[in-house]
Amino acid sequence: KNEVEQSPQNLTAQEGEFITINCSYSVGISALHWLQQHPGGGIVSLFMLSSGKKKHGRLIATINIQEKHSSLHITASHPRDSAVYICAVSPDSNYQLIWGAGTKLIIKP
Amino acid sequence: DVKVTQSSRYLVKRTGEKVFLECVQDMDHENMFWYRQDPGLGLRLIYFSYDVKMKEKGDIPEGYSVSREKKERFSLILESASTNQTSMYLCASSFGTSGTNTGELFFGEGSRLTVL
């Protein structure tokens, strides 16, 4: 069993839909990261969070430390949101991040 | 804006050649990382550095070495390139203390290496 699991692996939705991507982990962490990678592009950090909720524009990330679970939400999705979304965790007292496999999101116009 | 700059976006090398990939960050970050990204395998850590002249092996260090002589610069070296090192190489940096990874990650654009 992977220490960081994302679901779904692939997601196709229509423009305007509300999107949820989930990340579950099994280790103690100091922080959880959500990152985005467009096709052929570099990786961009979206959020780093250790508790509660953060919001940037149409993106919202939440984390429940007790349940070891985080969600990334996209409101009013747009084709430019099409990308791979990656969850990664920073384990306690360890520099090595543990990476999820990524969720490939396609938003159709 | 934080910037992580990788020296080459695309490289083509021949088997046995020595390859240098350079990464420079301008945010005074302690931590710097080299990853490779391959389809279906995700991101795999090659080497990590948490301070000048300090380095730690990641998950797949074989065939690679690194150098960090200055805080802002982290170089990845392939002493003798092989075809199985054809990949996308990504450099990242973050703030951190005492070998921990407490900061947001910033990635370079990536260097796509093809070894013929």
Side-chain angles (χ1 to χ4, degrees), chain B residues 4-24:
Chain B
V4 179
T5 304
Q6 293 185 228
S7 53
S8 305
R9 289 294 307 273
Y10 300 94
L11 301 97
V12 179
K13 297 290 181 181
R14 297 209 173 272
T15 300
E17 280 192 273
K18 192 169 186 175
V19 182
F20 290 90
L21 298 177
E22 291 221 303
C23 176
V24 179

Side-chain angles (χ1 to χ4, degrees), chain A residues 9 17 22 26 28-30 34 39-40 42-45 47 53 60 62 70 72-73 78 84 86 89-90 95 99:
Chain A
Q9 280 188 300
E17 285 189 42
N22 296 299
S26 57
I29 67 169
S30 57
W34 281 104
I43 297 176
V44 175
S45 175
F47 296 101
K53 177 179 173 177
I60 303 164
T62 64
S70 174
L72 176 68
H73 305 286
H78 190 276
V84 175
I86 308 168
V89 301
S90 299
Y95 56 82
W99 295 84

Side-chain angles (χ1 to χ4, degrees), chain A residues 31-61:
Chain A
L32 181 141
H33 305 258
W34 281 104
L35 306 107
Q36 178 195 57
Q37 186 173 31
H38 281 104
I43 297 176
V44 175
S45 175
L46 298 174
F47 296 101
M48 187 186 77
L49 63 168
S50 53
S51 65
K53 177 179 173 177
K54 286 190 176 181
K55 184 175 189 289
H56 288 156
R58 295 181 294 107
L59 299 176
I60 303 164

Side-chain angles (χ1 to χ4, degrees), chain B residues 69-107:
Chain B
E69 296 297 318
K70 294 184 178 182
K71 192 175 184 180
E72 67 271 18
R73 189 179 297 268
F74 192 35
S75 301
L76 180 69
I77 303 144
L78 289 67
E79 291 290 341
S80 178
S82 63
T83 55
N84 63 11
Q85 292 178 308
T86 292
S87 186
M88 170 69 88
Y89 290 88
L90 290 158
C91 175
S93 71
S94 72
F95 175 76
T97 56
S98 303
T100 62
N101 199 3
T102 56
E104 186 179 0
L105 285 163
F106 294 88
F107 280 84

